[in-house]
Amino acid sequence: MKAVAKAPANIALIKFWGKRDENLRLPKNSSISINLSEIFTVTSVDFSGGLDDDGVVIDGIKVDGKEKERVITHIDRIRKMAGIKSKVAVSSRNNFPKGTGLASSASGFAALSLAATKAAGLELDERYLSILARLGSGSACRSIPDGWVEWKEGDTSDKSYAHSLFGTNYWDVCDVVVVVGSFGKKVSSTEGHALVESSPFYTSRIKGMKQKIADIKRAIKSKDFTKMGEILETEAINMHVVMMTSGPSLFYWSPKTLEVMLLVQEWRGNGLESYFTIDAGPNVHLICMKKDVNKLKMKLSMIEGIEKIIVNGVANGARLV
Ligand code: DP6
């Protein structure tokens, strides 16, 4: 009745921003991501009994309020599926700071879904595990399958899940995460998703999505790094324009974020090829080929005020440990 699972964070190359159904976390569009090798969550779930109440510990701290409620709501889904009533002890550890836009909800809910279903005696296949993880946090469904992943939007809960496009060894692509700040976000991504319709640019974003997904899949399939990079960088800017033009306006960038973005474009002009993408936080992800990682690290080390650089390869999805 106890299980431990590890799940990676993932970085979306084509983003999930806006839901067609908030409760079921059905996205307005499909998205594409890679799992990250060095940013992950390890979660243990114990239904062994003897407890008076549910307990949730994250990074060594007992959590209460909304944070606990979101975890327990997810545990309740699993208790219902398994037909059990036992109280639970959940303990989760991230190897990176929470709330920095490094996707802690994705790795967190993916690890929680796998550990909790196993601890409850359920054996879900990858597709149903991905659906379950999606109900906890949309992007978590992409941390279940291995490697290069597509989350198909689907029009019903059963059809909205992630699957692997290519495995971890498919292509030597890396994600160099430039941590420029580890302060908590002002507006969570869950709150941000709910504002999309207020941006005048959202309709045109959605209109171009099917084509964009088809184009990036083609670029990945033919290992056309430049094409993939151009699409993913424009896509990140597109999502942030929607965020900035929502009411209220969401600005996730810090001055350092913009400094790194502009430098990356300058370096590219001089032959060092990498492309940036940014989630709902100030940190910048640089997608590059493995052969360029050291050159990039050297360039980055010359920028003042960068807190940390994390070099990721493409990783497997959630696993029991
Ligand atoms: C900007 O999956 O965190 O990282 O379902 O409300 O938990 P919830 O949202 P979440 O949104 C992720 C937003 C994003 C883009 C992406 O990862 O695709």
Side-chain angles (χ1 to χ4, degrees), residues 50-317:
L51 298 169
D52 298 333
D53 196 10
D54 294 324
V56 179
V57 173
I58 301 180
D59 293 331
I61 297 166
K62 190 167 175 273
V63 298
D64 273 308
K66 277 203 173 141
E67 209 173 356
K68 177 176 178 185
E69 204 180 292
R70 191 166 170 190
V71 172
I72 297 304
T73 302
H74 202 57
I75 291 288
D76 282 340
R77 293 186 181 107
I78 294 156
R79 279 197 277 237
K80 197 169 162 197
M81 285 163 74
I84 58 171
K85 293 209 158 65
S86 330
K87 296 291 177 196
V88 74
V90 176
S91 179
S92 191
R93 206 163 264 287
N94 298 301
N95 73 335
F96 53 92
K98 272 195 302 159
T100 55
L102 287 182
S104 56
S105 68
S107 52
F109 278 96
L112 180 68
S113 301
L114 179 56
T117 47
K118 186 75 188 171
L122 297 167
E123 291 286 344
L124 298 192
D125 64 13
E126 183 183 279
R127 174 177 161 180
Y128 276 94
L129 203 54
S130 176
I131 291 169
L132 177 65
R134 190 202 75 225
L135 294 169
S137 175
S139 55
C141 75
R142 296 189 311 239
S143 288
I144 299 291
D146 293 344
W148 296 74
V149 172
E150 176 181 30
W151 171 11
K152 294 241 185 222
E153 55 185 89
D155 51 2
T156 60
S157 188
D158 273 4
K159 288 188 198 144
S160 187
Y161 58 93
H163 69 108
S164 183
L165 293 171
F166 297 102
T168 54
N169 294 326
Y170 174 66
W171 197 8
D172 271 349
V173 167
C174 291
D175 174 17
V176 178
V177 184
V178 186
V179 181
V180 300
S182 40
F183 42 88
K185 304 179 205 172
K186 290 192 204 93
V187 179
S188 72
S189 41
T190 302
E191 292 165 307
H193 281 288
L195 300 176
V196 286
E197 302 292 351
S198 64
S199 164
F201 301 109
Y202 191 61
T203 318
S204 75
R205 169 173 171 76
I206 291 301
K207 234 188 229 164
M209 260 310 167
K210 287 215 162 51
Q211 189 60 49
K212 207 187 284 190
I213 296 265
D215 290 347
I216 202 165
K217 280 172 76 172
R218 200 174 317 115
I220 296 169
K221 197 166 176 203
S222 57
K223 297 193 177 170
D224 184 340
F225 183 70
T226 301
K227 187 78 202 156
M228 178 183 78
E230 286 168 0
I231 296 170
L232 75 88
E233 190 172 289
T234 314
E235 157 61 4
I237 298 169
N238 180 306
M239 177 184 73
H240 280 270
V241 164
V242 168
M243 290 165 158
M244 289 171 189
T245 52
S246 297
S249 165
L250 305 175
F251 258 90
Y252 289 107
W253 301 350
S254 73
K256 259 308 148 209
T257 312
L258 189 58
E259 189 182 332
V260 174
M261 291 161 73
L262 295 177
L263 280 170
V264 164
Q265 292 186 334
E266 188 186 310
W267 298 337
R268 204 160 65 222
N270 297 327
L272 176 55
E273 198 176 10
S274 80
Y275 298 86
F276 62 73
T277 184
I278 305 157
D279 278 344
N283 303 313
V284 189
H285 295 247
L286 305 186
I287 307 297
C288 65
M289 294 302 297
K290 196 175 175 185
K291 66 173 175 58
D292 290 325
V293 165
N294 284 339
K295 274 183 253 166
L296 261 182
K297 275 173 77 179
M298 214 147 72
K299 289 275 193 198
L300 289 165
S301 70
M302 288 188 287
I303 307 174
E304 253 177 62
I306 287 179
E307 291 183 9
K308 209 173 172 182
I309 292 168
I310 308 168
V311 179
N312 295 277
V314 181
N316 280 325

